[in-house]
Amino acid sequence: MVLRFLIRLLANNEQLVQKLSESYPMRKAAQILVRAAFQSKNLIEEKGLNKMLTPEEFRETMKKVARNFQNQIKQASDEFRQKK
């Protein structure tokens, strides 16, 4: 209950949200998410997976997307450590 109140209070603080949005980790996280979304979309279009999939095909595709996303996060983490 207290945590929810604090999060709501911080989220409604416009100056704090602005400063966080300008920070390097937040920008990098947004870049990673956008890159993963576009790569997933391209992968789906490349493989012709925008048709109806069987549950097994869907599961395999989601595993590939998850692995790709984990690799992107690891890569960004390594870049962040190198910049320090």
Side-chain angles (χ1 to χ4, degrees):
M1 186 69 176
V2 175
L3 182 61
R4 187 179 299 165
F5 173 75
L6 288 174
I7 291 173
R8 190 178 321 129
L9 181 67
L10 294 174
N12 289 330
N13 185 340
E14 188 176 336
Q15 292 173 337
L16 177 65
V17 171
Q18 182 68 27
K19 284 184 181 180
L20 283 174
S21 70
E22 294 171 354
S23 69
Y24 178 77
M26 288 295 192
R27 284 186 288 139
K28 197 63 177 175
Q31 288 172 354
I32 290 169
L33 289 174
V34 169
R35 185 184 315 152
F38 277 112
Q39 286 181 346
S40 299
K41 180 182 173 216
N42 290 338
L43 176 69
I44 289 170
E45 289 174 353
E46 259 180 33
K47 303 286 183 181
L49 299 175
N50 47 358
K51 59 180 174 38
M52 291 297 287
L53 299 175
T54 65
E56 293 82 23
E57 291 173 333
F58 180 75
R59 202 172 300 124
E60 285 300 315
T61 303
M62 289 299 104
K63 285 180 184 177
K64 287 178 186 176
V65 169
R67 271 186 260 135
N68 185 13
F69 187 65
Q70 288 173 345
N71 289 338
Q72 292 291 329
I73 290 174
K74 185 178 183 306
Q75 199 173 36
S77 176
D78 293 342
E79 289 176 14
F80 184 72
R81 286 187 187 125
Q82 288 176 356
K83 287 187 178 183
K84 275 189 168 183

